[in-house]
Amino acid sequence: MLSNKEILKLIKEASTDLHNYKFEKSFETSRNVLHHAIISKDDYLIARSYNNIAANYQGLSEVDKAIIYFKKGLSYANKTNNDTIKNWLNNNLGNLYCFDKNQFNVGLNYYKKALKHSEKINDTTQIYVTKLNITWAYFHIGNFDEGKYYLNFINEYKKRYSKSSTIIAVNMLNGMFYSHKKEFDKANLFFLEAIKLGNNGNEIEDLSYAHEEYAKLLFKTENYKEAYENMAIFNRITSELNDSKKLRRAGLVGINLELDEYKRKVDIIESEKKLQYQNLRKSKIIVVLFIITLCVFLLLFYTLFKSYIFKKRKNEELIIANKELSVAKENAEVASQKKSQFVSTISHELRTPLYGVVGITNMLLDEHKELADSPHLSSLKFSARYLLSLVNDILQINKIEENRIILESKTFNIADEIHMIKNALTFIAKNHDNVIIINIDPEIPEYLIGDKLRLSQVLMNLVGNALKFTKNGKVNINVNLFKVEGKSCFIEFNIEDNGIGIAIEDQDKIFDTFVQIDRKEIDYQGTGLGLAIVKRLLGLFNSTIHLESEKGKGTKFKFVIAFESDAVKTLEIINNIQVELNSEQSFKILVVEDNKINQVIIKKIIEKQNSNCVVANDGYTALEILDKERFDVILMDINMPLINGFETTRKIRQKGIYTPIIALTAFSKEEITEEAISAGIDDIINKPFESELLFKTINYILSKEKECFLN
């Protein structure tokens, strides 16, 4: 075990390697140091280690990982009395949020915290660096008036730091300020000085920024040739830096995984500490609750005794009523089960030929490029996709009604989700000459926890409807922080359009299944299930939807959903996300499938990925083939004659064959998961599927199997 003095020495070595762009060596040293710092339980050394790790990620432009590790370091630094490390970490987070995440207010808040810590210990160097960063941040967003206050400070002290690495940035900031003030001669002198110092020093990134800002000045003064030359230098330096970072990043994958593993161990240790503290509190609470419960129990016992005689009389009446209810319940359950079986069977029978239509269409487009513009082929593909969407909508309604949907808890960024929805609906918007406008409250936390898939379904249906019933107009998506209660953030969503609107007499009908208003006038297409699904999904969120509309003036839908906001839990969810593993490997795959069309499609997909494919028409044929040949993976259809996929899998496992088996089925995943696990199936993919998803699943299962073997 290393002493604290030895650990600190290694931390400084890792920092030196980082400044010399020796990222791999710095990472390796930091990982080793973090391990010993955790064992020594020294919060300052742990914070310093995380600061180095995060700075390496920042140097490699992996911004999100850098933020996670800087925040991790800050959580340990805040447990210490060392204001220097607190200043470093807050200052670094300010840089990332202002310049990489473009969240100025968040970054400014970190800068102000950094200033407080450096002023507390009167560290003039750190005060100077932090105020320089704040000046740059204000100028970056074009707020020169606010930035001037900080520029005056750094100009006052710049002689003291004229030999430091910051002097290039100081000259550049003065150039930016005088360029803004249109004092172009002064600005020109400062920029030339910055470029001169950059060419003589090692601050390559600052030199690139100086060329970029100088090009902007030259453009203002109509010196276009020189402006172009400076932008060319900026682009060349930036390209060289980025290429260098990519090469270094490629060699650090293994180290990154190890660092993540150490971070998870730290989280486990912290969780155990918290659990011990909570157990101690629970013990005290249990004693108090026991006394209260005993008193309540005695009171209840007296009350129950008095009501016993009354209840006895009522029980006789209830017995008769219960018998009648029991019969009615049994009849309802039988009817519900038959309905569920019918929907499941019909969906499977529809999905199987639709998968064939979609797959064959894709094959034709892939093999015959000249048919890419064929209206007949496009119509065929659209019709198949449309029918598939209808089947999925009916299944969705059926699942919600039978309470078979359980909301997930995943971390997500609400702005990212809404912009993805906008991108997905751009085609519909363009077809109707509409504009989608997004307004998101900046007070909403960066990460929320909830079921982002179901939220996306709700928003896709509402925004899609708004675009469909609006032409030459706009659709507004407004998202606001409604209120905060503990760790719950209540988010209000408003979807507003200026389309055809909904008449008052029709507003109560639109949330019913298979309802289409104004279908007689214009063919808007659709199943009439979208808003019915929205209403039922919001019910799962314990939310209700409100409608405001006037015929000819547009429509507004509004609802509020509570999401969890918990930084610790968010970090745990992020840590448990499986890393996607890519592979160029060629596989030998056995396909067990009775449908001839599906055989052709799946075989084409596999052979296109340079893998070998053997097809078995049924389960018994597959068992005979497996007695003679060995495969990397088996793709198993479920609904087959003679012997189904579940029974075939059981017989394969009984033979002692543990080759990974992936079910390819038109059945809903939730319907067969339990039986699939029991039979020995490793994963399930629903038809129709994309080839990318199939090979990602194969890569993941085989890498998981390899990892288990190595362990």
Side-chain angles (χ1 to χ4, degrees), residues 397 401 509-515 527-529 532-533 536:
I397 287 287
E401 288 178 348
K509 307 174 189 174
I510 63 170
F511 294 103
D512 295 333
T513 53
F514 302 104
V515 170
T527 62
L529 289 172
I533 291 172
R536 286 162 173 78

Side-chain angles (χ1 to χ4, degrees), residues 73-297:
L74 188 58
S75 68
Y76 282 95
N78 287 334
K79 298 176 185 178
T80 72
N81 295 320
N82 191 299
D83 289 284
T84 299
I85 186 64
K86 293 176 186 177
N87 169 271
W88 293 351
L89 289 160
N90 279 290
N91 196 43
N92 289 333
L93 283 165
N95 288 337
L96 287 172
Y97 277 104
C98 282
F99 298 101
D100 294 289
K101 301 295 282 185
N102 290 321
Q103 296 179 23
F104 176 79
N105 290 332
V106 178
L108 185 61
N109 188 44
Y110 279 113
Y111 282 143
K112 288 179 178 178
K113 289 179 182 178
L115 276 177
K116 285 181 181 179
H117 291 299
S118 54
E119 288 168 354
K120 183 178 177 182
I121 58 175
N122 197 26
D123 188 340
T124 55
T125 301
Q126 286 305 315
I127 293 171
Y128 179 84
V129 170
T130 305
K131 288 192 175 182
L132 186 147
N133 287 337
I134 295 173
T135 307
W136 200 337
Y138 272 118
F139 286 6
H140 182 65
I141 63 168
N143 192 340
F144 290 88
D145 292 333
E146 291 288 339
K148 185 177 183 298
Y149 167 78
Y150 295 95
L151 180 65
N152 290 339
F153 175 88
I154 62 175
N155 279 334
E156 184 179 346
Y157 289 91
K158 73 176 181 180
K159 287 185 179 178
R160 185 186 299 181
Y161 300 100
S162 61
K163 294 184 179 180
S164 72
S165 60
T166 61
I167 194 64
I168 301 171
V170 172
N171 279 284
M172 182 191 72
L173 291 172
N174 276 286
M176 291 170 68
F177 177 77
Y178 285 112
S179 176
H180 169 70
K181 299 292 284 184
K182 297 185 179 179
E183 295 182 30
F184 298 126
D185 290 336
K186 285 186 179 181
N188 192 69
L189 290 173
F190 279 110
F191 279 125
L192 290 174
E193 182 64 14
I195 291 170
K196 176 184 174 184
L197 293 168
N199 286 325
N200 294 330
N202 295 321
E203 301 301 317
I204 306 301
E205 285 190 88
D206 285 353
L207 174 61
S208 71
Y209 296 139
H211 278 290
E212 182 186 26
E213 295 299 334
Y214 186 40
K216 293 177 183 177
L217 169 66
L218 293 168
F219 188 85
K220 283 183 182 179
T221 57
E222 299 183 353
N223 292 324
Y224 299 116
K225 181 180 178 182
E226 289 184 48
Y228 172 79
E229 290 171 354
N230 277 272
M231 278 307 296
I233 294 170
F234 165 75
N235 289 330
R236 176 179 57 76
I237 295 173
T238 304
S239 177
E240 289 173 358
L241 287 171
N242 289 338
D243 290 344
S244 177
K245 288 174 182 177
K246 286 178 183 176
L247 288 172
R248 294 185 185 110
R249 195 183 301 127
L252 295 172
V253 174
I255 294 173
N256 291 353
L257 294 175
E258 288 186 61
L259 287 172
D260 289 342
E261 188 62 31
Y262 277 106
K263 186 166 70 65
R264 278 192 281 272
K265 289 180 181 178
V266 173
D267 290 340
I268 291 169
I269 292 169
E270 288 183 340
S271 298
E272 288 174 353
K273 286 182 180 178
K274 289 179 182 177
L275 189 61
Q276 289 174 358
Y277 175 73
Q278 289 171 357
N279 288 338
L280 185 61
R281 287 190 63 190
K282 285 178 182 177
S283 300
K284 294 178 181 177
I285 293 169
I286 288 169
V287 174
V288 175
L289 287 175
F290 177 76
I291 296 170
I292 295 171
T293 304
L294 184 61
C295 295
V296 172
F297 177 76

Side-chain angles (χ1 to χ4, degrees), residues 351-379:
R351 276 178 167 178
T352 299
L354 283 174
Y355 169 63
V357 174
V358 173
I360 293 295
T361 306
N362 287 333
M363 284 170 54
L364 286 171
L365 288 170
D366 191 41
E367 294 177 3
H368 300 278
K369 304 296 183 183
E370 70 275 8
L371 296 176
D373 297 324
S374 169
H376 305 301
L377 208 57
S378 297
S379 297

Side-chain angles (χ1 to χ4, degrees), residues 564-578:
E564 190 178 355
S565 178
D566 186 333
V568 175
K569 190 172 179 180
T570 296
L571 198 55
E572 289 175 355
I573 292 171
I574 291 172
N575 288 338
N576 289 327
I577 293 174
Q578 295 293 339

Side-chain angles (χ1 to χ4, degrees), residues 434-450:
N434 291 325
V435 176
I436 301 174
I437 301 170
I438 297 173
N439 294 301
I440 299 175
D441 190 346
E443 294 299 319
I444 296 174
E446 184 180 5
Y447 291 104
L448 297 171
I449 298 172

